[in-house]
Protein backbone atom coordinates (compact mmCIF):
# COMPACT_ATOMS: atom_id res chain seq x y z
CA UNK A 1 0.00 0.00 0.00
CA UNK A 2 1.23 3.49 -0.81
CA UNK A 3 2.82 5.62 1.91
CA UNK A 4 0.32 8.20 3.15
CA UNK A 5 0.76 11.43 5.10
CA UNK A 6 -1.56 14.20 6.17
CA UNK A 7 -0.74 17.69 5.01
CA UNK A 8 -1.01 20.34 2.32
CA UNK A 9 0.54 19.01 -0.91
CA UNK A 10 1.42 22.50 -2.19
CA UNK A 11 3.00 23.61 1.09
CA UNK A 12 4.96 20.36 1.35
CA UNK A 13 6.37 20.97 -2.14
CA UNK A 14 7.27 24.54 -1.23
CA UNK A 15 8.99 23.15 1.88
CA UNK A 16 11.17 20.92 -0.32
CA UNK A 17 9.48 17.62 0.54
CA UNK A 18 8.76 16.60 -3.08
CA UNK A 19 10.52 16.81 -6.45
CA UNK A 20 7.24 16.29 -8.32
CA UNK A 21 3.64 16.96 -7.36
CA UNK A 22 0.76 15.64 -9.42
CA UNK A 23 -2.85 16.74 -9.66
CA UNK A 24 -5.71 15.62 -11.87
CA UNK A 25 -6.98 17.81 -14.70
CA UNK A 26 -9.74 17.85 -17.26
CA UNK A 27 -9.17 18.39 -20.98
CA UNK A 28 -10.67 21.90 -21.12
CA UNK A 29 -8.02 24.14 -19.44
CA UNK A 30 -10.39 24.58 -16.49
CA UNK A 31 -8.77 24.59 -13.04
CA UNK A 32 -11.67 26.14 -11.16
CA UNK A 33 -12.25 23.70 -8.30
CA UNK A 34 -10.55 21.28 -5.95
CA UNK A 35 -6.78 21.07 -5.73
CA UNK A 36 -6.47 22.18 -9.38
CA UNK A 37 -7.81 25.58 -8.35
CA UNK A 38 -5.20 25.85 -5.58
CA UNK A 39 -2.43 24.74 -7.97
CA UNK A 40 -3.48 27.29 -10.62
CA UNK A 41 -3.64 30.06 -8.01
CA UNK A 42 -0.25 29.25 -6.48
CA UNK A 43 1.53 28.27 -9.71
CA UNK A 44 0.05 30.13 -12.71
CA UNK A 45 2.74 28.48 -14.87
CA UNK A 46 0.99 25.13 -14.33
CA UNK A 47 -2.21 26.55 -15.82
CA UNK A 48 -0.14 28.05 -18.64
CA UNK A 49 1.39 24.60 -19.36
CA UNK A 50 -2.15 23.21 -19.48
CA UNK A 51 -3.19 25.94 -21.93
CA UNK A 52 -0.38 24.84 -24.29
CA UNK A 53 -2.27 21.57 -24.83
CA UNK A 54 -5.20 21.13 -27.25
CA UNK A 55 -8.43 22.47 -25.75
CA UNK A 56 -11.12 19.82 -25.39
CA UNK A 57 -9.05 17.06 -26.97
CA UNK A 58 -10.06 13.61 -25.72
CA UNK A 59 -6.64 12.38 -26.86
CA UNK A 60 -5.10 14.15 -23.84
CA UNK A 61 -6.62 11.54 -21.49
CA UNK A 62 -3.81 9.52 -19.93
CA UNK A 63 -1.17 12.12 -20.81
CA UNK A 64 0.57 14.81 -18.76
CA UNK A 65 1.87 18.35 -19.08
CA UNK A 66 4.31 19.81 -16.60
CA UNK A 67 6.24 22.86 -15.51
CA UNK A 68 9.38 23.40 -13.42
CA UNK A 69 8.76 25.64 -10.39
CA UNK A 70 11.51 27.46 -8.53
CA UNK A 71 10.44 29.29 -5.40
CA UNK A 72 13.21 30.29 -3.01
CA UNK A 73 15.26 27.17 -2.34
CA UNK A 74 12.42 24.88 -3.43
CA UNK A 75 12.59 23.38 -6.91
CA UNK A 76 10.00 20.93 -8.12
CA UNK A 77 7.81 19.99 -11.06
CA UNK A 78 4.04 20.38 -11.13
CA UNK A 79 2.43 17.68 -13.28
CA UNK A 80 -1.01 18.22 -14.78
CA UNK A 81 -2.39 14.70 -15.19
CA UNK A 82 -5.26 14.44 -17.67
CA UNK A 83 -7.48 12.02 -15.77
CA UNK A 84 -10.94 13.26 -16.79
CA UNK A 85 -12.44 14.65 -19.98
CA UNK A 86 -14.85 17.20 -18.48
CA UNK A 87 -16.63 18.03 -15.20
CA UNK A 88 -20.24 18.85 -16.14
CA UNK A 89 -23.38 16.78 -15.64
CA UNK A 90 -23.64 13.53 -13.72
CA UNK A 91 -20.35 11.88 -12.72
CA UNK A 92 -18.17 10.13 -12.06
CA UNK A 93 -15.79 11.95 -14.38
CA UNK A 94 -12.52 10.16 -13.69
CA UNK A 95 -11.37 7.72 -16.35
CA UNK A 96 -9.50 4.86 -14.69
CA UNK A 97 -7.44 3.99 -17.76
CA UNK A 98 -6.34 7.64 -17.91
CA UNK A 99 -5.07 7.38 -14.30
CA UNK A 100 -2.97 4.36 -15.30
CA UNK A 101 -1.65 6.12 -18.39
CA UNK A 102 -0.74 9.31 -16.55
CA UNK A 103 1.12 7.55 -13.77
CA UNK A 104 2.97 5.29 -16.23
CA UNK A 105 4.19 8.44 -17.99
CA UNK A 106 5.14 10.02 -14.65
CA UNK A 107 7.13 6.88 -13.73
CA UNK A 108 9.07 7.09 -17.01
CA UNK A 109 9.63 10.86 -16.82
CA UNK A 110 10.62 11.09 -13.14
CA UNK A 111 12.08 7.71 -12.12
CA UNK A 112 14.31 8.98 -9.29
CA UNK A 113 12.01 11.70 -7.94
CA UNK A 114 10.08 12.07 -4.71
CA UNK A 115 6.49 12.20 -6.00
CA UNK A 116 3.50 13.53 -4.06
CA UNK A 117 -0.17 13.49 -5.06
CA UNK A 118 -3.65 13.84 -3.57
CA UNK A 119 -6.47 11.28 -3.93
CA UNK A 120 -6.53 11.97 -7.68
CA UNK A 121 -9.87 11.22 -9.26
CA UNK A 122 -11.58 10.35 -5.97
CA UNK A 123 -12.75 13.85 -4.99
CA UNK A 124 -14.76 16.06 -7.32
CA UNK A 125 -14.18 13.59 -10.18
CA UNK A 126 -16.21 11.02 -8.23
CA UNK A 127 -13.97 8.01 -8.71
CA UNK A 128 -13.57 5.00 -6.43
CA UNK A 129 -10.27 5.24 -4.53
CA UNK A 130 -10.24 1.44 -4.15
CA UNK A 131 -10.02 1.29 -7.96
CA UNK A 132 -7.57 4.22 -8.33
CA UNK A 133 -4.98 3.47 -5.61
CA UNK A 134 -3.86 0.08 -7.02
CA UNK A 135 -3.35 1.66 -10.44
CA UNK A 136 -1.05 4.33 -8.97
CA UNK A 137 0.78 1.74 -6.86
CA UNK A 138 1.32 -0.47 -9.91
CA UNK A 139 2.60 2.36 -12.09
CA UNK A 140 4.94 3.72 -9.40
CA UNK A 141 6.08 0.35 -8.01
CA UNK A 142 9.53 0.61 -6.39
CA UNK A 143 9.51 4.40 -6.60
CA UNK A 144 9.44 7.07 -3.89
CA UNK A 145 5.82 8.22 -3.91
CA UNK A 146 3.43 9.50 -1.25
CA UNK A 147 -0.29 10.09 -1.03
CA UNK A 148 -0.99 13.42 0.70
CA UNK A 149 -4.36 13.78 2.42
CA UNK A 150 -5.55 17.13 3.73
CA UNK A 151 -6.08 16.98 7.49
CA UNK A 152 -9.57 17.43 8.82
Amino acid sequence: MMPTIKGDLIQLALNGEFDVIVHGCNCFHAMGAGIARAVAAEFPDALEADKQTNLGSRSKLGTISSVQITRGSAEFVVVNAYTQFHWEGPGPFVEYEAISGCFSKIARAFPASRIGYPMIGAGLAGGDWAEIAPRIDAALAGMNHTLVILPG
Side-chain angles (χ1 to χ4, degrees):
M1 192 58 193
M2 62 188 52
T4 303
I5 61 171
K6 287 191 178 198
D8 177 330
L9 180 63
I10 292 170
Q11 193 56 55
L12 289 166
L14 290 169
N15 293 349
E17 299 291 321
F18 296 112
D19 306 309
V20 176
I21 61 171
V22 183
H23 72 108
C25 290
N26 60 67
C27 296
F28 287 89
H29 304 165
M31 293 191 187
I35 192 164
R37 181 180 190 158
V39 167
E42 186 70 37
F43 311 117
D45 288 354
L47 179 56
E48 211 38 56
D50 180 32
K51 288 181 177 177
Q52 299 306 307
T53 66
N54 291 330
L55 176 68
S57 173
R58 191 168 278 283
S59 67
K60 290 196 301 191
L61 287 170
T63 70
I64 60 175
S65 64
S66 63
V67 65
Q68 177 77 37
I69 302 291
T70 303
R71 185 82 59 87
S73 62
E75 282 192 42
F76 54 93
V77 173
V78 174
V79 171
N80 302 317
Y82 299 100
T83 57
Q84 66 187 71
F85 183 60
H86 63 83
W87 67 95
E88 296 174 315
F93 305 111
V94 69
E95 304 216 10
Y96 296 120
E97 287 304 316
I99 296 258
S100 298
C102 289
F103 278 92
S104 293
K105 287 173 178 61
I106 290 162
R108 285 195 300 275
F110 308 102
S113 296
R114 298 168 300 154
I115 302 168
Y117 48 86
M119 291 176 72
I120 289 180
L124 296 175
D128 179 357
W129 186 246
E131 173 76 20
I132 295 167
R135 290 170 179 271
I136 295 173
D137 267 337
L140 302 183
M143 295 177 64
N144 182 344
H145 65 101
T146 305
L147 169 64
V148 180
I149 299 175
L150 275 172

Short mmCIF file of all heavy atoms in Angstrom, two decimals, residues 12 20 26 31 47 53 58 61 69 85 89 99 101 103-104 115 123-124:
data_model
loop_
_atom_site.label_atom_id
_atom_site.label_comp_id
_atom_site.label_asym_id
_atom_site.label_seq_id
_atom_site.Cartn_x
_atom_site.Cartn_y
_atom_site.Cartn_z
N LEU A 12 3.89 21.36 1.22
CA LEU A 12 4.96 20.36 1.35
C LEU A 12 5.96 20.50 0.20
O LEU A 12 7.17 20.41 0.41
CB LEU A 12 4.38 18.95 1.40
CG LEU A 12 3.63 18.61 2.70
CD1 LEU A 12 2.80 17.34 2.51
CD2 LEU A 12 4.59 18.46 3.86
N VAL A 20 8.35 16.28 -7.36
CA VAL A 20 7.24 16.29 -8.32
C VAL A 20 5.94 16.23 -7.54
O VAL A 20 5.81 15.41 -6.63
CB VAL A 20 7.31 15.06 -9.27
CG1 VAL A 20 6.11 15.01 -10.20
CG2 VAL A 20 8.62 15.05 -10.05
N ASN A 26 -8.84 18.17 -16.16
CA ASN A 26 -9.74 17.85 -17.26
C ASN A 26 -9.09 18.31 -18.56
O ASN A 26 -8.00 18.87 -18.55
CB ASN A 26 -11.10 18.52 -17.03
CG ASN A 26 -10.97 20.03 -16.96
OD1 ASN A 26 -10.64 20.69 -17.94
ND2 ASN A 26 -11.23 20.60 -15.80
N MET A 31 -9.28 24.95 -14.37
CA MET A 31 -8.77 24.59 -13.04
C MET A 31 -9.52 25.44 -12.02
O MET A 31 -8.93 26.23 -11.30
CB MET A 31 -7.27 24.83 -12.96
CG MET A 31 -6.44 23.94 -13.84
SD MET A 31 -4.69 24.10 -13.43
CE MET A 31 -3.94 23.14 -14.73
N LEU A 47 -1.05 26.30 -14.97
CA LEU A 47 -2.21 26.55 -15.82
C LEU A 47 -1.75 26.91 -17.23
O LEU A 47 -2.34 26.48 -18.22
CB LEU A 47 -3.08 27.67 -15.22
CG LEU A 47 -4.33 28.06 -16.01
CD1 LEU A 47 -5.23 26.87 -16.27
CD2 LEU A 47 -5.08 29.17 -15.29
N THR A 53 -1.75 22.82 -24.27
CA THR A 53 -2.27 21.57 -24.83
C THR A 53 -3.55 21.88 -25.61
O THR A 53 -4.12 22.97 -25.49
CB THR A 53 -2.58 20.54 -23.71
OG1 THR A 53 -3.66 21.04 -22.90
CG2 THR A 53 -1.35 20.29 -22.85
N ARG A 58 -9.94 14.86 -26.47
CA ARG A 58 -10.06 13.61 -25.72
C ARG A 58 -8.74 12.83 -25.75
O ARG A 58 -8.47 12.05 -24.85
CB ARG A 58 -11.20 12.77 -26.30
CG ARG A 58 -11.59 11.59 -25.46
CD ARG A 58 -12.89 10.96 -25.91
NE ARG A 58 -14.06 11.63 -25.43
CZ ARG A 58 -14.55 11.52 -24.19
NH1 ARG A 58 -13.92 10.78 -23.30
NH2 ARG A 58 -15.64 12.15 -23.84
N LEU A 61 -6.39 12.47 -22.60
CA LEU A 61 -6.62 11.54 -21.49
C LEU A 61 -5.46 10.57 -21.38
O LEU A 61 -5.03 9.98 -22.38
CB LEU A 61 -7.93 10.79 -21.66
CG LEU A 61 -9.18 11.62 -21.41
CD1 LEU A 61 -10.42 10.85 -21.86
CD2 LEU A 61 -9.29 12.02 -19.95
N ILE A 69 9.00 24.52 -11.30
CA ILE A 69 8.76 25.64 -10.39
C ILE A 69 10.01 25.87 -9.54
O ILE A 69 10.56 24.90 -8.99
CB ILE A 69 7.56 25.34 -9.45
CG1 ILE A 69 6.28 25.04 -10.24
CG2 ILE A 69 7.37 26.46 -8.44
CD1 ILE A 69 5.68 26.20 -10.98
N PHE A 85 -12.19 13.86 -18.78
CA PHE A 85 -12.44 14.65 -19.98
C PHE A 85 -13.07 15.99 -19.62
O PHE A 85 -12.59 17.03 -20.02
CB PHE A 85 -13.32 13.86 -20.95
CG PHE A 85 -13.56 14.59 -22.25
CD1 PHE A 85 -12.50 14.95 -23.07
CD2 PHE A 85 -14.84 14.91 -22.64
CE1 PHE A 85 -12.71 15.63 -24.26
CE2 PHE A 85 -15.06 15.59 -23.84
CZ PHE A 85 -14.00 15.94 -24.64
N GLY A 89 -22.36 17.82 -15.58
CA GLY A 89 -23.38 16.78 -15.64
C GLY A 89 -23.12 15.72 -14.58
O GLY A 89 -22.33 15.92 -13.67
N ILE A 99 -5.91 7.37 -15.52
CA ILE A 99 -5.07 7.38 -14.30
C ILE A 99 -3.85 6.50 -14.54
O ILE A 99 -2.71 6.91 -14.31
CB ILE A 99 -5.86 6.87 -13.07
CG1 ILE A 99 -7.01 7.79 -12.75
CG2 ILE A 99 -4.92 6.63 -11.90
CD1 ILE A 99 -6.85 8.75 -11.62
N GLY A 101 -2.51 5.53 -17.36
CA GLY A 101 -1.65 6.12 -18.39
C GLY A 101 -0.82 7.27 -17.86
O GLY A 101 0.39 7.35 -18.12
N PHE A 103 0.10 7.95 -14.73
CA PHE A 103 1.12 7.55 -13.77
C PHE A 103 2.22 6.70 -14.41
O PHE A 103 3.36 6.75 -13.97
CB PHE A 103 0.50 6.90 -12.53
CG PHE A 103 0.02 7.94 -11.55
CD1 PHE A 103 -1.28 8.41 -11.59
CD2 PHE A 103 0.89 8.50 -10.62
CE1 PHE A 103 -1.71 9.41 -10.73
CE2 PHE A 103 0.47 9.49 -9.74
CZ PHE A 103 -0.84 9.94 -9.79
N SER A 104 1.91 5.99 -15.48
CA SER A 104 2.97 5.29 -16.23
C SER A 104 3.92 6.31 -16.85
O SER A 104 5.14 6.14 -16.82
CB SER A 104 2.37 4.41 -17.32
OG SER A 104 1.66 3.35 -16.73
N ILE A 115 7.76 11.82 -5.36
CA ILE A 115 6.49 12.20 -6.00
C ILE A 115 5.37 12.26 -4.96
O ILE A 115 5.17 11.31 -4.20
CB ILE A 115 6.13 11.19 -7.11
CG1 ILE A 115 7.27 11.13 -8.14
CG2 ILE A 115 4.80 11.54 -7.76
CD1 ILE A 115 7.17 9.97 -9.11
N GLY A 123 -12.03 12.73 -5.60
CA GLY A 123 -12.75 13.85 -4.99
C GLY A 123 -13.87 14.30 -5.89
O GLY A 123 -14.84 13.57 -6.13
N LEU A 124 -13.72 15.49 -6.45
CA LEU A 124 -14.76 16.06 -7.32
C LEU A 124 -15.01 15.21 -8.55
O LEU A 124 -16.10 15.24 -9.11
CB LEU A 124 -14.36 17.48 -7.74
CG LEU A 124 -14.26 18.50 -6.60
CD1 LEU A 124 -13.74 19.83 -7.11
CD2 LEU A 124 -15.60 18.68 -5.91
#
